[in-house]
Amino acid sequence: MQPSSDDVWLPVLLCVGEEEVEIGEELQEDESSILTIHNVTRAHAGFYQCMASNGIALPASVEMQLVVQFTPKLRKGPQWRKVASRGDGTTTAELVCQAEGIPRVDFTWEKKGMLIDLANPRYEERTAREGYFHTSTLRVVNVSAILDYAFFSCTARNSLGDDKLDIQLVSTNHPDPPSSFGLVSVTHDSVTLEWIPGFNGGLQQRFRIRYCWDQSISFMYVDVFPLDATTFTVTGLQPLTTYNFSVNALNAIGESGYADNGAVLTITTAGKVELDGDLLDDKTL
């Protein structure tokens, strides 16, 4: 059964018996029951169980799987849009393209708008599938700064449509700044922060939080641990005090600018009170 439009179609699940069904159930004269789900989305995909009983014997049941077809959707965060490698002809770069989609997703690769000839020994493609996740990895062998520092394009396609991602192959460099720096929670003596990593520059990156009391002229710094964490709690703060926070990334070559074009996150810690001898944040009362 084909969908009438992307992510929206009407499957019909048929089961025999007189069991009541909550969504679009219709009893037929031959004692069959039809379950119709309207305006189907991917959230409706999964296994459904139909049970039938006449009050005499034990109920009978049958399980059916609903598979919802949808166009490919590529992962497009900042870490997917750049790949770094030395361009001295001695290294190999791997460009990864990952899409969700049903039915089967196929990939094509282009460089500078021209279809890549995968018979060329300088390029190798590997594909893998796990559930509705499909991954294509393009290996560029003996990367040359002159030939290969360019935009590559990956297109994921199935019978319902396609999606495209541009990936830039660049020289190894310092990381890009994180983004979407924000507050998770605050207490009287701590602040938990989160962010989205930027491109790592082709090397392992780490993060550092900079903060100060809003009347101070000097900064304090704390290195985030573990290295790949994207949330962190700064402790040892004073209650009812306003602080300014920023975060950036570092690797072996250098450091990025601060997140969100150097924006400062201003946060005031909570107060504290004593209740029956216990110290509590005022936001917990």
Side-chain angles (χ1 to χ4, degrees):
M1 184 176 298
Q2 294 297 319
S4 56
S5 62
D6 181 22
D7 252 11
V8 180
W9 58 307
L10 271 88
V12 176
L13 305 182
L14 177 64
C15 62
V16 177
E18 298 178 356
E19 189 73 8
E20 292 186 359
V21 186
E22 294 183 2
I23 307 176
E25 182 260 356
E26 179 183 351
L27 293 176
Q28 306 295 310
E29 291 183 358
D30 60 355
E31 295 187 335
S32 63
S33 175
I34 297 176
L35 171 65
T36 303
I37 305 175
H38 299 272
N39 300 319
V40 171
T41 69
R42 289 171 56 189
H44 293 98
F47 288 91
Y48 290 76
Q49 187 179 61
C50 173
M51 299 185 66
S53 173
N54 60 8
I56 300 176
L58 292 175
S61 66
V62 63
E63 190 173 66
M64 292 156 283
Q65 183 180 11
L66 173 60
V67 177
V68 178
Q69 298 181 343
F70 57 98
T71 60
K73 297 184 185 300
L74 286 163
R75 301 185 71 175
K76 295 183 177 180
Q79 65 271 34
W80 297 89
R81 294 182 178 273
K82 281 186 181 180
V83 173
S85 179
R86 296 197 309 274
D88 57 6
T90 65
T91 60
T92 297
E94 291 193 346
L95 287 66
V96 180
C97 196
Q98 187 175 86
E100 299 176 71
I102 297 177
R104 171 182 166 173
V105 174
D106 295 312
F107 296 90
T108 56
W109 287 89
E110 299 176 356
K111 184 174 77 170
K112 299 179 181 178
M114 301 294 292
L115 191 66
I116 292 177
D117 179 9
L118 295 176
N120 186 328
R122 295 194 64 245
Y123 304 106
E124 302 171 4
E125 186 196 17
R126 300 193 311 269
T127 58
R129 177 182 177 182
E130 184 174 350
Y132 51 81
F133 283 93
H134 308 257
T135 304
S136 174
T137 302
L138 179 70
R139 300 181 76 243
V140 183
V141 180
N142 300 329
V143 174
S144 162
I146 296 175
L147 297 176
D148 299 314
Y149 284 173
F151 278 97
F152 291 72
S153 298
C154 168
T155 300
R157 179 179 291 106
N158 67 14
S159 59
L160 301 180
D162 58 62
D163 197 11
K164 188 174 184 178
L165 172 67
D166 291 330
I167 305 173
Q168 187 179 13
L169 180 55
V170 298
S171 173
T172 306
N173 208 329
H174 60 73
D176 289 345
S179 61
S180 301
F181 185 45
L183 173 66
V184 176
S185 62
V186 59
T187 71
H188 72 277
D189 64 352
S190 70
V191 167
T192 299
L193 305 164
E194 66 179 357
W195 57 91
I196 297 175
F199 174 60
N200 63 11
L203 301 169
Q204 184 179 49
Q205 66 178 340
R206 57 190 176 91
F207 301 97
R208 177 179 293 168
I209 293 174
R210 183 183 73 177
Y211 68 101
C212 68
W213 172 49
D214 68 345
Q215 300 298 317
S216 174
I217 59 173
S218 61
F219 292 102
M220 298 184 68
Y221 296 85
V222 56
D223 290 321
V224 172
F225 186 83
L227 297 182
D228 58 352
T230 57
T231 61
F232 188 76
T233 301
V234 180
T235 59
L237 306 178
Q238 296 299 313
L240 294 175
T241 303
T242 300
Y243 292 88
N244 296 321
F245 294 89
S246 304
V247 63
N248 74 340
L250 306 89
N251 65 16
I253 292 179
E255 61 182 283
S256 73
Y258 285 92
D260 304 323
N261 296 316
V264 173
L265 193 62
T266 300
I267 302 169
T268 300
T269 53
K272 59 180 181 179
V273 297
E274 285 193 18
L275 183 63
D276 296 332
D278 295 327
L279 184 64
L280 298 174
D281 291 329
D282 63 358
K283 289 192 176 183
T284 65
L285 298 181

